[in-house]
Amino acid sequence: AQSVTQPDIHITVSEGASLELRCNYSYGATPYLFWYVQSPGQGLQLLLKYFSGDTLVQGIKGFEAEFKRSQSSFNLRKPSVHWSDAAEYFCAVGAGDKIIFGKGTRLHILP
Amino acid sequence: DAGVIQSPRHEVTEMGQEVTLRCKPISGHNSLFWYRQTMMRGLELLIYFNNNVPIDDSGMPEDRFSAKMPNASFSTLKIQPSEPRDSAVYFCASSPILAGLTDTQYFGPGTRLTVL
């Protein structure tokens, strides 16, 4: 069965530091992969997505993610975080006729 | 564009009462989704529609839940009777592509439901 794992429930980084949020999936074929962000009291907003082609995907707000088939991973990165990046981040997998969201990683930013 | 609109934003009700959540998708979008978000279970897809037709309702927890989409600009999610374990944030999302599940979804702000 398809699954998505975000191993880190909470991550804290200092403003200006680099960030990497981990996402691992389980699916027999190449999935569609997404990262969404949810600010407090808001719905989810798409940051970026991977369907095919270049495995390094650029998104909004300076985020990027890299699809690594050998590791079944789609980690989200940002070279320098801003206080406004504090939010919850969800990795999602579109597989067949299903979409599955990870449990989310809450990002805290230290000033 | 106003984005996906959900109402009410907050709903507090007593166990056994009927609850109706409403959603207006983005104009021109062909797919509509209802999700439930809880701390314990995360974000779960309840049901989705393509061109107003329910495609997959396998995520609907039980018969107390029902969803309709009478036209392209309106959908409801109804819980009757409601129970405390239904307390959650319910999101509506829409997508411009019929494939829906494999393309970008645009989420509404959610309805926070509390059942006492």
Side-chain angles (χ1 to χ4, degrees):
Chain A
Q2 303 94 327
S3 66
V4 180
T5 302
Q6 293 181 247
D8 303 304
I9 299 174
H10 294 273
I11 281 189
T12 301
V13 299
S14 298
E15 190 169 17
S18 63
L19 171 70
E20 182 169 33
L21 302 182
R22 296 183 290 165
C23 173
N24 293 96
Y25 67 90
S26 173
Y27 182 58
T30 300
Y32 298 98
L33 297 162
F34 307 83
W35 274 101
Y36 284 85
V37 60
Q38 184 180 25
S39 298
Q42 302 295 316
L44 279 69
Q45 179 186 20
L46 182 73
L47 283 175
L48 47 80
K49 60 187 178 185
Y50 171 79
F51 285 0
S52 64
D54 192 346
T55 56
L56 185 62
V57 180
Q58 301 298 319
I60 63 171
K61 305 185 180 186
F63 286 92
E64 67 177 27
E66 186 171 12
F67 170 56
K68 293 185 176 180
R69 184 188 305 275
S70 61
Q71 299 176 19
S72 297
S73 69
F74 189 58
N75 295 348
L76 182 71
R77 300 194 295 249
K78 186 170 184 178
S80 176
V81 298
H82 185 262
W83 65 266
S84 60
D85 293 325
E88 189 152 20
Y89 292 79
F90 293 89
C91 181
V93 173
D97 60 351
K98 297 292 183 186
I99 185 165
I100 303 167
F101 284 81
K103 292 292 179 68
T105 297
R106 185 167 295 278
L107 175 64
H108 305 270
I109 307 294
L110 295 175
Chain B
D1 198 321
V4 176
I5 298 172
Q6 292 186 247
S7 64
R9 292 294 308 275
H10 301 273
E11 176 80 35
V12 180
T13 191
E14 292 188 344
M15 182 174 61
Q17 296 298 306
E18 177 180 294
V19 176
T20 299
L21 310 181
R22 298 173 176 80
C23 175
K24 177 179 170 56
I26 294 173
S27 177
H29 281 194
N30 301 107
S31 297
L32 183 139
F33 311 83
W34 282 102
Y35 289 90
R36 178 173 67 177
Q37 185 180 40
T38 61
M39 290 292 292
M40 289 296 295
R41 301 175 66 89
L43 195 65
E44 302 172 282
L45 177 64
L46 300 177
I47 185 172
Y48 78 95
F49 297 82
N50 279 349
N51 286 338
N52 314 336
V53 176
I55 302 301
D56 184 357
D57 65 355
S58 60
M60 296 285 263
E62 49 198 274
D63 291 346
R64 297 184 297 105
F65 286 69
S66 63
K68 294 182 180 179
M69 192 164 186
N71 57 62
S73 60
F74 184 66
S75 177
T76 59
L77 178 68
K78 184 177 293 186
I79 308 173
Q80 166 63 20
S82 58
E83 297 182 2
R85 60 191 167 126
D86 302 330
S87 298
V89 181
Y90 291 82
F91 288 102
C92 176
S94 68
S95 172
I97 307 295
L98 281 178
L101 288 172
T102 55
D103 208 328
T104 304
Q105 297 182 28
Y106 297 80
F107 283 75
T111 295
R112 181 174 296 277
L113 173 65
T114 303
V115 183
L116 304 174

